[in-house]
């Protein structure tokens, strides 16, 4: 029997990192595609990031994902940074080039849109107003992806108004900001509403949002995935809205990374989804 000339390697760098579901996800795909290799958690503190990233080529890693606290700092270290990561202002994926150089990208926006299309294949960003709650790091990835998908009317509201105003200035175009106190009214006539805040996550209070004015045809998306059904999604489902939880974004952002490292674009199967859901 012939042996491959090297063991495929990738991983996720972060601190803490042991809670990450990415190893389960990528190791599932490695096995499914008959690839000999492993995706491992790399427990790296902030001070060790540069050395750890520079060690990847020598160790034969195809690349890695990045999680807290490395997503911004890594942008200053890599040799090439793609425009999407620059606009999002964070990277979540490193690809080692044939020459040992490091390229940074961010697949969160891709993952977000793919998760929406999985739930609603005919979804369009320009189908009507999109109300986005929150203006943190997650909101940046969602907003960039909505703009790139052709959204024409984005209503952005955040507890701290200045952060929403800054994002509207930076990304321009279709974003209009709305005062946090007026967020309930910002659902009137919306085709979609997206929670990018931490509210509704396990251990956090529920998102305080009255859905009365939201059309029943609107899609309701929450990027939180612990719990899988947040109080927002539960309330939306009970009144007849289609809902999308945040797990799809996590699953789908991993696909282009796997493809860049190992040359196969993997699928999010129902078996994979169930396997990850069982860990939540
Ligand atoms: P992430 O990178 O995960 O988006 P973040 O940058 O800390 O994290 O952003 C968290 C988001 O949740 C922000 O929009 C935050 O609002 P502020 O900008 O006002 O902080 C929002 N958020 C956190 N706690 C909140 C609360 N109690 N009520 C409303 N929004 C809240």
């Amino acid at each position: 029997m012939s042996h491959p000339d090297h063991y495929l390697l990738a991983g996720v760098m972060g601190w803490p990192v042991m809670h990450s579901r990415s190893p389960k996800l990528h190791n599932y795909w490695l096995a499914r595609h008959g690839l000999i290799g492993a995706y491992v958690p790399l427990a790296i503190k902030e001070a060790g990031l540069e050395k750890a990233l520079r060690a990847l080529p020598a160790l034969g890693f195809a690349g890695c994902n990045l999680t807290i606290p490395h997503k911004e700092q890594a942008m200053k270290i890599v040799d090439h940074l793609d425009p999407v990561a620059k606009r999002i202002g964070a990277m979540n994926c490193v690809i080692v080039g044939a020459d040992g150089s490091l390229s940074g990208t961010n697949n969160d926006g891709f993952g977000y849109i793919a998760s929406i299309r999985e739930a609603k294949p005919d979804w369009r960003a320009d189908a009507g107003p999109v109300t986005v709650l929150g203006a943190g790091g997650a909101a940046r990835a969602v907003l960039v992806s909505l703009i790139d998908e052709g959204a024409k009317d984005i209503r952005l509201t955040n507890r701290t108004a200045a952060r929403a105003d800054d994002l509207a200035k930076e990304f321009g175009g279709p974003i209009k900001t709305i005062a946090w106190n007026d967020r309930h009214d910002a659902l009137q006539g919306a085709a979609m509403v997206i929670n990018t805040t931490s509210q509704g996550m396990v251990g956090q209070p529920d998102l305080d949002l009255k859905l009365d004015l939201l059309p029943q045809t609107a899609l309701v998306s929450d990027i939180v995935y612990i719990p899988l059904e947040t109080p927002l999604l539960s309330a939306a489902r009970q009144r007849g809205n289609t809902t999308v939880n945040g797990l799809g974004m996590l699953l789908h952002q991993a696909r282009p990374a796997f493809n860049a490292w190992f040359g196969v674009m993997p699928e999010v199967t129902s078996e994979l989804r169930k396997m990850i859901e069982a860990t939540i």
Side-chain angles (χ1 to χ4, degrees):
M1 192 184 135
S2 74
H3 293 283
D5 68 350
H6 72 285
Y7 192 74
L8 301 177
L9 283 170
V12 53
M13 264 182 214
W15 188 274
V17 77
M18 294 312 289
H19 65 284
S20 171
R21 284 156 180 92
S22 291
K24 259 202 158 54
L25 190 56
H26 287 278
N27 286 323
Y28 168 88
W29 283 329
L30 283 167
R32 192 179 168 91
H33 292 285
L35 298 170
I36 310 294
Y39 180 106
V40 293
L42 298 162
I44 305 291
K45 290 185 183 169
E46 243 166 317
L49 179 64
E50 180 154 15
K51 274 198 175 147
L53 284 175
R54 288 295 169 199
L56 290 174
L59 291 169
F61 273 69
C64 70
N65 285 122
L66 296 169
T67 186
I68 289 169
H70 302 316
K71 286 182 158 194
E72 283 96 26
Q73 188 58 26
M75 293 198 298
K76 300 184 194 135
I77 296 169
V78 294
D79 305 300
H80 316 282
L81 186 64
D82 84 353
V84 173
K86 257 185 216 159
R87 285 162 67 218
I88 293 175
M91 48 180 273
N92 78 338
C93 180
V94 179
I95 298 151
V96 175
D99 59 355
S101 64
L102 304 176
S103 297
T105 186
N106 192 320
N107 299 315
D108 283 340
F110 170 93
Y112 182 69
I113 299 297
S115 76
I116 296 298
R117 288 235 159 84
E118 188 186 352
K120 198 173 189 295
D122 63 348
W123 174 82
R124 293 178 55 109
D126 62 357
V130 182
T131 302
V132 177
L133 296 108
R140 293 183 68 94
V142 167
L143 289 169
V144 165
S145 69
L146 289 173
I147 291 168
D148 289 352
E149 285 293 322
K152 300 234 166 7
D153 183 357
I154 298 174
R155 303 167 178 172
L156 179 63
T157 181
N158 191 52
R159 178 183 61 176
T160 309
R163 282 184 97 187
D165 292 339
D166 286 349
L167 285 189
K169 234 180 261 158
E170 186 177 337
F171 295 138
I175 302 180
K176 285 182 226 86
T177 55
I178 291 175
W180 185 245
N181 282 341
D182 298 335
R183 63 194 178 282
H184 316 287
D185 299 336
L187 301 185
Q188 189 153 27
M192 183 173 189
V193 52
I194 308 168
N195 175 44
T196 76
T197 77
S198 48
Q199 303 295 278
M201 200 181 280
V202 66
Q204 297 280 335
D206 297 3
L207 178 70
D208 177 10
L209 185 65
K210 295 185 190 75
L211 300 180
D212 307 326
L213 296 179
L214 185 71
Q216 229 180 48
T217 51
L219 192 61
V220 180
S221 147
D222 199 325
I223 63 147
V224 170
Y225 63 89
I226 305 175
L228 285 166
E229 185 172 70
T230 58
L232 167 68
L233 293 187
S234 166
R237 178 176 53 77
Q238 284 173 45
R239 67 195 288 284
N241 294 95
T242 300
T243 62
V244 186
N245 68 31
L247 184 60
M249 182 174 179
L250 173 77
L251 301 176
H252 283 279
Q253 63 75 32
R255 293 171 54 220
F258 190 91
N259 188 28
W261 300 325
F262 307 129
V264 183
M265 187 67 161
E267 294 303 321
V268 172
T269 61
S270 58
E271 182 187 50
L272 172 63
R273 186 179 277 273
K274 279 195 201 111
M275 192 180 89
I276 302 295
E277 278 177 2
T279 71
I280 290 172

